[in-house]
Amino acid sequence: MSISAVLTFLFGLIVITVGANILLKGASKIAILLRIKPIVIGLTVVSIGTSLPELAVGLTAIGEGSGDIAVGNIAGTNLVNILFILGLSAAIRPLILNLKSIKIEMYTMILAAIVLLLLSLDGSLGWGDGALMIGLGIIYLILIVRHSKREPAHVQREFQDEFETVSAKEKKDVQVWTWNFMLLFCGIIATIYGAEKLVEGATDIARYFGMSDALIGLTIIAIGTSAPELATTIVSTIKNDRDVAIGNLLGSSIINIFIILGVTAIFTPNGIHVSKDILWFDLPLAALVAIVCYPVFKSDQMVSRTEGITFVGLYVAYLVSLWVFRV
């Protein structure tokens, strides 16, 4: 295997992660300047921002004729989000669910996984499928914004502490607005460029090991593009701002399907190909994991340390099964 392929992949991973963080910082500050409430930023802007690497990778993969990477990346990333990242957070410290909007996110996450599976039954995701998913995504965002007003005061404060406030002077300062729009623009450019290098390096690595595009999307790229969610969750866990973490993970998993994959499908002239392995194994598994979250979240309104360790163990078992049976 060429060392340049590994270096290209690692370079792309670093650039896409840094780019996503810069983009998210600029977008969040602009949202604050626009007087959007911190909890709304946390449940929408952050979820969308941490999902943008998946969009960049999806569009890049489609442009290079590797549609399976796009679908595999979404299915793989959602499994990483729920089984590994959420599980790791609960394994470190039991995850108490205070968010009232958790019900909307939980039901929507299950719906999104099932809708994706049903739309993929014909072996592709076309323009109509993409439009439907985007429509459902917009409905979800509207519901979550409306419901955020009902969150208890201590949850509102947690999001308030997460996002820095701005003074009245800053809101009128042209330089502040210009700087944050520059951050947003630079973040977008870096994310797109990083995605190109990430896909290029990952594809070369996959070819060396004889891995399919779908498999590389499910594993290496999925784990790589989940870096923003992992970083956000670990920091939130250490700071004990768990509602920010859980809101981001579930929201990102929903956005990945409805918005990210929906947009990717719309921009793909002949539709995104969905391989049989992904259709009959990975997508049903992702739907099953989303459904299993219902009783787990419902019991005692928390994810225990034991449940968290189990989730992480299941994800490791999934990776092992991919390597044993599909490489």
Side-chain angles (χ1 to χ4, degrees):
M1 177 174 54
S2 171
I3 190 67
S4 64
V6 176
L7 293 176
T8 299
F9 173 81
L10 292 175
F11 175 71
L13 178 59
I14 292 171
V15 173
I16 200 173
T17 302
V18 173
N21 286 332
I22 293 173
L23 186 156
L24 187 55
K25 184 175 182 179
S28 298
K29 191 63 176 286
I30 290 169
I32 294 171
L33 290 168
L34 291 172
R35 300 181 183 180
I36 297 175
K37 291 185 177 180
I39 192 167
V40 174
I41 296 173
L43 293 175
T44 58
V45 176
V46 172
S47 294
I48 295 172
T50 54
S51 292
L52 286 178
E54 283 82 359
L55 176 61
V57 166
L59 294 176
T60 300
I62 292 297
E64 297 183 2
S66 303
D68 279 345
I69 287 181
V71 182
N73 183 33
I74 296 300
T77 297
N78 282 6
L79 289 172
V80 174
N81 283 351
I82 303 304
L83 289 180
F84 182 70
I85 301 179
L86 185 144
L88 181 62
S89 177
I92 295 172
R93 186 181 298 165
L95 185 57
I96 299 173
L97 308 175
N98 293 315
L99 275 172
K100 286 189 176 182
S101 57
I102 193 76
K103 290 183 179 179
I104 293 178
E105 294 196 303
M106 182 173 59
Y107 292 137
T108 307
M109 183 174 68
I110 294 172
L111 174 65
I114 293 174
V115 165
L116 176 57
L117 177 59
L118 293 176
L119 293 178
S120 301
L121 288 176
D122 61 356
S124 68
L125 294 169
W127 189 93
D129 299 324
L132 174 60
M133 288 190 286
I134 291 174
L136 291 172
I138 292 172
I139 292 173
Y140 159 71
L141 290 173
I142 292 172
L143 288 175
I144 207 71
V145 168
R146 292 181 62 182
H147 203 81
S148 66
K149 300 174 183 177
R150 306 176 190 174
E151 296 291 352
H154 71 279
V155 173
Q156 299 270 4
R157 283 196 299 272
E158 188 175 319
F159 281 89
Q160 184 76 43
D161 293 340
E162 182 70 15
F163 301 100
E164 58 182 290
T165 57
V166 294
S167 64
K169 182 179 179 181
E170 284 182 299
K171 291 177 182 177
K172 298 178 181 179
D173 193 332
V174 175
Q175 288 187 339
V176 173
W177 284 88
T178 303
W179 170 249
N180 286 287
F181 271 109
M182 283 180 60
L183 285 179
L184 181 64
F185 177 76
C186 292
I188 291 172
I189 297 299
T191 301
I192 294 171
Y193 179 70
E196 291 178 354
K197 293 301 177 183
L198 185 74
V199 171
E200 179 185 330
T203 302
D204 288 343
I205 294 171
R207 287 171 183 163
Y208 177 82
F209 286 107
M211 298 169 67
S212 66
D213 287 345
L215 192 56
I216 198 70
L218 285 164
T219 54
I220 298 177
I221 294 181
I223 294 170
T225 55
S226 293
E229 287 91 340
L230 177 60
T232 300
T233 303
I234 295 300
V235 171
S236 297
T237 299
I238 294 172
K239 294 169 60 179
N240 204 29
D241 292 339
R242 316 302 292 286
D243 297 304
V244 175
I246 189 70
N248 177 42
L249 282 178
L250 298 189
S252 179
S253 297
I254 295 165
I255 294 298
N256 281 344
I257 294 175
F258 282 157
I259 303 296
I260 303 304
L261 199 53
V263 170
T264 305
I266 282 181
F267 281 95
T268 307
N270 299 317
I272 305 173
H273 175 258
V274 181
S275 68
K276 290 184 178 180
D277 283 343
I278 290 180
L279 176 59
W280 298 114
F281 183 72
D282 303 294
L283 293 185
L285 178 61
L288 179 61
V289 167
I291 293 170
V292 166
C293 283
Y294 178 80
V296 171
F297 289 2
K298 198 76 173 175
S299 62
D300 301 324
Q301 292 293 301
M302 68 176 293
V303 182
S304 68
R305 181 174 279 112
T306 300
E307 290 167 334
I309 293 172
T310 301
F311 273 25
V312 174
L314 288 173
Y315 183 70
V316 173
Y318 168 70
L319 289 182
V320 171
S321 71
L322 290 178
W323 185 259
V324 172
F325 296 109
R326 290 165 66 180
V327 172

